[in-house]
Each structure stands twice: as C-alpha cells, then as structure tokens.
Amino acid sequence: MNVPAPAGIATLVAYVATIPAANLAVTHFGAVPVGFGYAAPAGAYMVGLALVLRDLARESAGRGAVLAAIAVGTILSYFLADPALAGASAAAFAVAETMDFVVYEPLRKRGLLIAMLASNAVGLLADSLLFLKLAFGSFEYLPGQILGKAWMTFAAIAVLALLRRRKQASANA
C-alpha cells in the first residue's frame, strides 16, 4: 500500500476535519445568513469546503485514500453530530461525497478546475437535498444551502486558479 506524501496526509486530515466542524457549526450557530437574503444551517460553509478538499485530497493522496476518508468522515459525522442530526448528517455526507467522487473521476483529465466545478455542483445539491429532507423535513433552507456551499467552492477555485497562475508565471520567468 502506498502511503500518501505529507501534503496528501495534510489534505486528508483537513478534509475529514470539515465534517465535525460542519456538525458543530450547525449545533452551535443554527442558521446563518449566506447572502441575498438567504440563510442556511451554519455547516453549509464547511460542507462546501469539504467538497473542494475531497477533490484536492484525491489528487494528492489518491483514490483509495479518499474512499477511506469518505468512510471515516461518514462515521465521524454520525458519532460527532448532535443526536437529532446524526443520521441526516452521515447519510448526506456519504451520498454527496460519493456522488462528487463519481463525477470528479472521469472529468479530472479535462482539468482540475472543471472537474471541481462539476463535481461540487452535484455534491452540494445532493448534500443539500438529502440533509434538509432528513434533518428538517423541509427544503426551506435549500437556496441558502446551495448558495453557502457555492460560495466556498468558488472561493477555493479562485484561490487555486491564482496559485496555478503564480506557479506558471514563476516557471516561465
């Protein structure tokens, strides 16, 4: 078995850490504003970040490590969430991250940023629909959930694009 490089391990740890962070945010902050008059459970930001980190972990640590991290994240999500949210959180995480993975894999050859945008769109929609239905029995927060997660995806992709440009510029210099 190949052991991921330190950067891969760090990305995996950051990815798995977003799960308890999202659950703690929902438990302690409830609904928060996400812009344009919408609100969402506070964990939406961390879930958006998790989708991006999952894709980065795939690139730095490999497919097997990411699948193991999804399993660990699902278990953590269940045991670290508020009991009222545990099942919803674990189910939404497992389904959304797996869907993100399935969309990301064939697209990654077309470019990291394109694969991230497409896979995160699928993952954030799946997570939002499933979590809201299971946790609250309502889609009242759906626009806010999607918006909050999309903000994180766009922010992370913007940072990655800037870093890529910087790297290319210094390589050409």
Side-chain angles (χ1 to χ4, degrees), residues 15-113:
Y15 167 62
V16 172
T18 61
I19 295 101
N23 291 329
L24 287 170
V26 171
T27 301
H28 294 294
F29 301 113
V32 297
V34 294
F36 302 109
Y38 293 108
Y45 292 117
M46 284 290 108
V47 173
L49 183 58
L51 292 166
V52 172
L53 287 172
R54 195 219 59 79
D55 296 338
L56 293 175
R58 163 57 179 101
E59 294 305 315
S60 63
R63 189 180 346 202
V66 166
L67 289 171
I70 290 171
V72 169
T74 300
I75 292 165
L76 276 175
S77 187
Y78 183 80
F79 285 110
L80 296 178
D82 180 279
L85 302 176
S89 178
F93 177 81
V95 170
E97 295 297 327
T98 302
M99 288 177 75
D100 182 290
F101 181 83
V102 168
V103 171
Y104 182 82
E105 282 300 307
L107 291 177
R108 61 190 285 269
K109 291 180 175 108
R110 293 187 182 183
L112 179 66
L113 301 182

Side-chain angles (χ1 to χ4, degrees), residues 79-170:
F79 285 110
L80 296 178
D82 180 279
L85 302 176
S89 178
F93 177 81
V95 170
E97 295 297 327
T98 302
M99 288 177 75
D100 182 290
F101 181 83
V102 168
V103 171
Y104 182 82
E105 282 300 307
L107 291 177
R108 61 190 285 269
K109 291 180 175 108
R110 293 187 182 183
L112 179 66
L113 301 182
I114 290 185
M116 280 184 161
L117 279 171
S119 66
N120 288 6
V122 170
L124 71 85
L125 186 59
D127 183 81
S128 297
L129 289 168
L130 194 53
F131 179 75
L132 291 173
K133 182 65 176 170
L134 294 175
F136 305 115
S138 163
F139 295 118
E140 174 187 353
Y141 290 119
L142 185 60
Q145 282 272 91
I146 291 170
L147 187 59
K149 292 170 190 171
W151 286 133
M152 291 305 285
T153 294
F154 293 144
I157 287 175
V159 168
L160 290 171
L162 283 171
L163 291 174
R164 178 176 281 172
R165 281 193 193 132
R166 265 179 92 189
K167 185 177 179 180
Q168 288 173 344
S170 58

